[in-house]
Amino acid sequence: MKIAELRNHPFILLVLKDGENEGYFTSEFMHKTKQQLSDMSLRIASDNLSIIYADQINKACEIVLGLSNLGLLDLCNNDSEQAKAIIKTHGIVYCFRAGWGKYAQLKKISPSYFESVPLSQYALATNDTSDIKAMHEALVSEGYQSAMLLQTYKSIAASYCANTVLIDDDEEILTYELQKFLNSAVALQLIDSDKKVFTNTLYQKLLNYLTDTDKASLLEKLELCIANFTQHLPVLIKEYLLESDLLDFNELKEIINQQSDAAIYIQEILELPITLAHELNDDFEGGYDFHIDDDDDIAYLKPDER
């Protein structure tokens, strides 16, 4: 039976079935292979899953099948004859180890990203025809993006972080903070400052500039500042920021288009020292909170009533 005629099973099962039907794999070899698949499944279940439930055993079997399939596809480059030779010469465990090695690549790219990818994502049911090699390549690509985000965050934060640099595993938080650093970098250029962090004086200068300058002039200078800032970025970081749309500065442009509300929204998108944020909002308890605790702050300043 030709593999091309079988499309409702993973590649590795098709190879085994073809080899068995052709007499390429002996019954003893097939028995040994099935036993090895079973043993590996139990090991995966005991190390990574809860073996209390039968469905977890089944999931472990699917993980072993998926990783073995990934490994074989990588080793034989989709050549079914070469695949049979690899299985016969090296055995099914060899294929599994090759697949596990591909999975472990994610850890070398980004340890935090590797931890976020469950091993179960590599599971393949016996009737699953999805392309696990393409799935793995997509995860690798995402891993590089994750690593690049962290590298870019650290690089930009080294210059523009006004407070303690805190590395968060949440990519949304990293992206949010990174955008604030970028907004601040360009905003400082808007007022012709060579400083990297806002002070009260610089912040007030920016606010006055945003509210007193006509919109067209503001937008024109903003584009010049963005171009200048982008030009001086390292090549890889610049490419990542462009691909991620982080150099669009949509929030900053929106505030410029609504000049009358600049004082309300501008500090929300900038990286400001905590002390400056407190000073701007008379917030003695810390952190900008849209004046939620103003009553408490005022009560804090008043002497206790007797």
Side-chain angles (χ1 to χ4, degrees), residues 97-165:
R97 287 173 176 167
W100 186 274
K102 300 292 288 184
Y103 165 64
Q105 283 181 339
L106 301 178
K107 190 171 187 178
K108 295 180 180 179
I109 296 170
S110 171
S112 60
Y113 177 74
F114 172 76
E115 293 175 2
S116 72
V117 178
L119 186 58
S120 59
Q121 194 151 346
Y122 284 80
L124 274 184
T126 55
N127 61 347
D128 192 340
T129 59
S130 58
D131 190 342
I132 194 168
K133 193 172 182 181
M135 185 276 290
H136 172 72
E137 290 171 354
L139 288 174
V140 169
S141 178
E142 290 177 11
Y144 279 116
Q145 288 295 308
S146 176
M148 197 62 205
L149 170 59
L150 183 58
Q151 179 183 337
T152 302
Y153 175 87
K154 289 179 178 179
S155 176
I156 302 297
S159 296
Y160 296 99
C161 184
N163 306 294
T164 303
V165 177

Side-chain angles (χ1 to χ4, degrees), residues 10 12 29 46 48 72 110 137 209 220 225 256 278 283 297:
I12 193 169
F29 179 85
S46 64
N48 298 276
L72 180 61
S110 171
E137 290 171 354
Y209 182 70
E220 182 179 355
C225 292
I256 289 175
H278 293 180
D283 188 354
D297 289 339

Side-chain angles (χ1 to χ4, degrees), residues 155-163 181-182 184-186 188-189 195-197 229 271:
S155 176
I156 302 297
S159 296
Y160 296 99
C161 184
N163 306 294
F181 299 153
L182 296 171
S184 296
V186 171
L188 284 163
Q189 288 195 18
K195 303 296 183 183
K196 303 297 185 183
V197 175
F229 176 74
E271 168 70 1

Side-chain angles (χ1 to χ4, degrees), residues 274-293:
I274 292 177
T275 52
L276 174 55
H278 293 180
E279 185 178 351
L280 291 172
N281 300 286
D282 296 325
D283 188 354
F284 304 102
E285 296 300 320
Y288 182 53
D289 53 16
F290 300 93
H291 304 289
I292 290 173
D293 65 356

